[in-house]
Amino acid sequence: MAEQLTGLADDRALLGRTSTAERVSDILRSRIAEGYFPPGTRLSEDSIGGALGVSRNTLRESFRLLTHERLLIHELNRGVFVRVLTVEDVEDIYRTRALVECAVVRGLGEPPYGLEGLAGAVEDGRRAAREGDWKAVGTANIHFHRELVALAGSERTDELMRSVFAELRLAFHVVDDPRRLHEPYIARNAEILAALETGERETAERLLAVYLENSLKRVVEVYLRRVGDEG
């Protein structure tokens, strides 16, 4: 925990003079997504509040916001913990992803599309793979799908999926072999990008649907082995 708190203290500058629960939430959300606070970790009000230099009330409000986003859970008389997802949680996340992401591709309209963000995410994934940084490959994969959702040009959809992708990262943090999980999707992301570059929306949607189905099976397999149905 000491190492995590040292890194968290470095984030204090991000708060500036207008420290708010929302900004604290943004910092903690990012740290949770990065794995600084893995699933099951108890979050200490005193330690985190001290590291960020914020009041107990501000921190509690940020905890409340992240609990609403299903990233944290409050256990009576025990404190606040980073959630450990169940298999049912993972299945629901992927159901939401399939509904939203496939609908975004289906509704793109006529090409050309603004694919610079997608192309950048594909290249980031390839570069991370060459360096053997499989955690970074997973991050690039999430960025690819965030950029895909952003093609809809909807702030509400972006906000919804930001929360969904943050939950998804909780699932990735229990994976014992990140290379096996993430490596196949480097090429599959590139295939979806190539289909969109040539204006083949139906092909891209079909590739995406199969992609999400396969990814769900792979993550559930890990969950059944690592945490089981009870989470």
Side-chain angles (χ1 to χ4, degrees), residues 91-197:
E91 290 172 339
D92 194 36
I93 287 169
Y94 273 87
R95 237 185 335 263
T96 303
R97 291 187 66 191
L99 285 169
V100 173
E101 294 186 48
C102 290
V104 168
V105 173
R106 194 179 313 124
L108 281 177
E110 295 302 315
Y113 313 120
L115 303 176
E116 295 82 5
L118 285 178
V122 167
E123 182 52 39
D124 288 345
R126 288 170 171 164
R127 181 168 53 250
R130 288 195 297 268
E131 296 170 356
D133 188 345
W134 300 105
K135 180 179 177 180
V137 172
T139 297
N141 185 45
I142 293 289
H143 287 170
F144 177 87
H145 289 275
R146 288 179 61 181
E147 291 292 344
L148 183 69
V149 170
L151 293 175
S154 166
E155 292 184 4
R156 290 173 178 81
T157 305
D158 289 345
E159 184 176 353
L160 166 67
M161 295 306 291
R162 180 189 68 173
S163 177
V164 170
F165 289 136
E167 278 195 272
L168 182 62
R169 294 297 291 268
L170 293 181
F172 288 170
H173 290 321
V174 305
V175 174
D176 55 355
D177 187 354
R179 176 173 184 171
R180 182 171 180 268
L181 178 67
H182 299 305
E183 187 172 30
Y185 302 107
I186 299 171
R188 298 179 84 162
N189 287 343
E191 289 175 354
I192 293 171
L193 173 62
L196 291 174
E197 286 175 334

Side-chain angles (χ1 to χ4, degrees), residues 20-72:
T20 65
E22 288 79 8
R23 292 193 180 192
V24 173
S25 298
D26 288 342
I27 290 171
L28 293 179
R29 186 186 301 106
S30 295
R31 289 294 185 172
I32 290 169
E34 292 165 2
Y36 276 77
F37 301 114
T41 301
R42 182 181 180 276
L43 301 185
S44 165
E45 287 185 3
D46 291 339
S47 297
I48 293 176
L52 289 175
V54 298
S55 71
R56 186 181 294 262
N57 286 340
T58 295
L59 189 60
R60 285 179 175 174
E61 175 63 12
S62 72
F63 282 174
R64 187 190 68 79
L65 292 171
L66 294 176
T67 299
H68 181 69
E69 294 180 20
R70 295 179 294 275
L71 296 180
L72 303 181

